[in-house]
Amino acid sequence: MNWQGRTFNWQLPKTPSYGDSGLVVIDSDDGWRGDFTHWRPTILAKSAQYSGWYPPKVAVVCLALNTANIGRDSYLSWDQVHALRGLGWEINSHGRHHVDLGRHPLTETASAGAQEMKVDTTWFGVFVGGYEYIVTDGANYETIDINAVGNGTITLNTPLQSSWGTGSWVELSEQGKRDLLQGAIDDLAAQGILCKHHVYTYHVGSEHAYNPESVEIVGQLFLSGRGRSGDLNDRSVDIRNLRSRLLNDSLTTATIDAILDECVLHDKVAIFYGHGETSEVRLSQLEYIIDGCVRRGIRIGTHTDAWRKLTQGKTPE
């Protein structure tokens, strides 16, 4: 460019080169403060390595928040959530509380009048009062008032009205499920955040202690849900129940490379997730995934991007 006798050699800021095949999503669950103190600077530094734009968005993270915990010790504050959203991070539901959506079978018959039930509580997770639970055999049900859960036993505040056999199970009622999920949607809406995606706690209801009614309700309230273990998602996947890989010691660099190769070769979606960890090992895994995506020309996007790819370009309502 020539201006007033001077020649300028304008150059656009550096930016990665992307293809059209494949997509990677990086999730962080629960809303731990490490998302802000450790994941944010790691993501920004790695993005700045490949992009001269600001803020660099080579990589973004999708936060799955238990909204009732925001502002508590060790968790993000709402100011931090908004700051991360300003960097292009997507804010999604993990339920108002870290309560699961599974079916938990009785391991012994519970007689009418009992205030204790023997239940497989392996995947029961966290019990939080205030949500409505039922015991049911699929045809009949009874609302129960839970006092405590642990070691294969559920204790009740009031006696059972009916007897229930080992073909029965304990779960959140339909209203309880909706209170848990809609509660997160409403908490985020109060912050001006539109929530369109859900992540199942512990993968319960979606993989462990599978509950088809829970998957159905997630499909009614959200565009997508993430709830199964697995490497990749293609267009045949149940969009209400996407697969993902946990960042842990068993996720080797060779495994990451194999997932990314398959992702770009066959235009699939890979989801990796962690929990705002602060260790060098987990942060190094994040960096390795980002490096691998840039090297292969794979975009790192959001659950909305994944939804568009997996549903062939639909526009969210």
Coordinates of all heavy atoms in Angstrom, one line a residue, residues 19 21 40 53 59 76 85 94 110 132 142 144 173 204-205 208 218 223 231 240 272 283 289 295:
G19 N -9.5 -27.0 8.1 CA -10.3 -27.7 7.1 C -11.7 -27.8 7.5 O -12.1 -27.2 8.5
S21 N -13.3 -30.7 8.0 CA -13.6 -32.1 8.6 C -13.2 -32.1 10.0 O -12.1 -31.7 10.4 CB -12.8 -33.1 7.8 OG -13.2 -34.4 8.2
R40 N -8.1 -21.1 32.1 CA -8.1 -19.9 31.3 C -6.7 -19.5 30.9 O -6.5 -19.2 29.7 CB -8.8 -18.8 32.1 CG -8.8 -17.4 31.4 CD -9.4 -16.4 32.3 NE -8.7 -16.2 33.6 CZ -7.6 -15.4 33.8 NH1 -7.2 -14.6 32.8 NH2 -7.0 -15.4 34.9
W53 N -4.8 -12.6 16.8 CA -6.1 -11.8 17.1 C -6.3 -11.8 18.6 O -5.8 -12.7 19.3 CB -7.3 -12.5 16.4 CG -7.2 -12.5 14.9 CD1 -6.7 -13.5 14.2 CD2 -7.5 -11.5 14.0 NE1 -6.7 -13.2 12.8 CE2 -7.2 -11.9 12.7 CE3 -8.0 -10.2 14.2 CZ2 -7.4 -11.2 11.6 CZ3 -8.2 -9.4 13.0 CH2 -7.9 -9.9 11.7
A59 N -8.8 -22.0 20.9 CA -9.4 -23.0 21.7 C -10.4 -22.3 22.7 O -10.1 -21.2 23.2 CB -8.4 -23.8 22.5
L76 N -16.3 -21.3 40.9 CA -16.3 -20.0 40.2 C -17.3 -19.0 40.8 O -18.3 -19.4 41.4 CB -16.7 -20.2 38.7 CG -15.7 -21.0 37.9 CD1 -16.5 -21.4 36.6 CD2 -14.5 -20.3 37.6
R85 N -17.1 -16.4 29.7 CA -18.1 -16.3 28.6 C -17.6 -15.3 27.6 O -17.8 -15.4 26.4 CB -19.5 -16.0 29.1 CG -20.6 -16.0 28.0 CD -21.9 -16.0 28.7 NE -23.0 -15.9 27.7 CZ -23.8 -14.9 27.6 NH1 -23.7 -13.8 28.4 NH2 -24.8 -14.9 26.7
H94 N -25.2 -28.5 34.2 CA -24.8 -29.8 34.8 C -25.8 -30.1 35.9 O -25.6 -30.8 36.8 CB -23.4 -29.6 35.4 CG -22.6 -30.9 35.6 ND1 -22.7 -32.0 34.8 CD2 -21.7 -31.3 36.5 CE1 -21.9 -32.9 35.2 NE2 -21.3 -32.5 36.2
A110 N -38.7 -54.1 50.2 CA -39.0 -53.1 51.2 C -40.5 -53.2 51.5 O -41.3 -53.0 50.7 CB -38.6 -51.7 50.7
E132 N -38.0 -34.1 44.6 CA -39.0 -35.1 44.8 C -38.5 -36.5 44.2 O -38.1 -36.5 43.1 CB -40.3 -34.8 44.2 CG -41.4 -35.8 44.4 CD -42.7 -35.4 43.8 OE1 -42.8 -35.5 42.5 OE2 -43.6 -34.9 44.5
E142 N -44.7 -44.5 44.4 CA -45.0 -43.9 45.6 C -43.9 -42.8 45.9 O -42.7 -43.0 45.7 CB -44.9 -44.9 46.8 CG -45.1 -44.3 48.1 CD -45.0 -45.4 49.2 OE1 -45.2 -46.6 48.9 OE2 -44.8 -45.0 50.4
I144 N -41.5 -40.7 48.0 CA -40.8 -41.0 49.2 C -40.0 -39.7 49.7 O -39.6 -38.9 48.9 CB -39.8 -42.2 49.1 CG1 -38.8 -41.9 47.9 CG2 -40.5 -43.5 48.8 CD1 -37.7 -43.0 47.8
S173 N -38.6 -38.1 40.7 CA -39.9 -38.1 39.9 C -39.7 -37.2 38.7 O -38.7 -36.5 38.5 CB -40.9 -37.5 40.8 OG -40.7 -36.1 41.1
V204 N -24.7 -40.6 34.8 CA -25.7 -41.5 35.4 C -27.1 -41.1 34.9 O -27.4 -39.9 34.7 CB -25.7 -41.3 37.0 CG1 -26.9 -42.1 37.6 CG2 -24.4 -41.8 37.5
G205 N -27.9 -42.1 34.5 CA -29.1 -41.9 33.8 C -28.9 -42.0 32.3 O -29.8 -42.3 31.6
H208 N -24.6 -45.1 33.2 CA -24.8 -45.9 34.4 C -26.2 -45.6 34.9 O -26.7 -44.6 34.8 CB -23.8 -45.4 35.5 CG -22.4 -45.3 35.0 ND1 -21.6 -46.4 34.5 CD2 -21.5 -44.2 34.8 CE1 -20.4 -46.0 34.1 NE2 -20.4 -44.7 34.3
V218 N -34.2 -34.6 28.9 CA -33.0 -33.8 28.5 C -33.2 -33.4 27.0 O -33.0 -32.3 26.6 CB -31.7 -34.6 28.6 CG1 -30.6 -34.0 27.8 CG2 -31.3 -34.7 30.1
L223 N -30.9 -28.8 23.4 CA -30.5 -29.2 22.1 C -29.7 -30.5 22.1 O -29.8 -31.3 21.2 CB -29.7 -28.1 21.4 CG -30.4 -26.8 21.0 CD1 -29.5 -25.9 20.3 CD2 -31.6 -27.1 20.1
D231 N -15.0 -42.4 22.4 CA -14.1 -41.6 21.7 C -14.7 -40.5 20.8 O -14.2 -39.4 20.7 CB -13.1 -42.4 20.9 CG -12.2 -43.3 21.8 OD1 -12.1 -43.0 23.0 OD2 -11.6 -44.2 21.3
R240 N -29.0 -36.6 22.3 CA -29.3 -36.3 23.7 C -28.3 -37.0 24.6 O -28.4 -36.8 25.8 CB -30.7 -36.9 24.0 CG -31.8 -36.4 23.1 CD -33.1 -37.3 23.3 NE -32.9 -38.7 23.0 CZ -33.8 -39.6 23.2 NH1 -35.0 -39.3 23.7 NH2 -33.5 -40.9 22.9
F272 N -13.6 -34.0 24.8 CA -12.7 -34.3 25.9 C -13.2 -33.5 27.1 O -13.6 -32.3 26.9 CB -11.2 -33.9 25.6 CG -10.6 -34.7 24.5 CD1 -10.6 -34.2 23.2 CD2 -10.1 -35.9 24.7 CE1 -10.1 -34.8 22.1 CE2 -9.5 -36.6 23.6 CZ -9.5 -36.1 22.3
L283 N -3.0 -30.1 32.6 CA -2.9 -28.9 31.8 C -2.0 -29.2 30.5 O -2.3 -28.7 29.4 CB -2.2 -27.8 32.6 CG -3.1 -27.2 33.7 CD1 -2.3 -26.2 34.5 CD2 -4.4 -26.7 33.3
I289 N -3.8 -31.6 23.2 CA -5.0 -31.7 22.4 C -5.1 -30.5 21.5 O -5.4 -30.6 20.3 CB -6.3 -31.8 23.3 CG1 -6.3 -33.1 24.0 CG2 -7.5 -31.6 22.4 CD1 -7.4 -33.2 25.1
R295 N -2.5 -28.8 14.3 CA -1.6 -29.5 13.4 C -2.4 -30.2 12.3 O -2.0 -30.3 11.1 CB -0.7 -30.5 14.1 CG 0.4 -31.1 13.3 CD 1.4 -31.8 14.2 NE 0.8 -32.8 15.0 CZ 0.7 -32.8 16.3 NH1 1.1 -31.7 17.0 NH2 0.2 -33.8 17.0

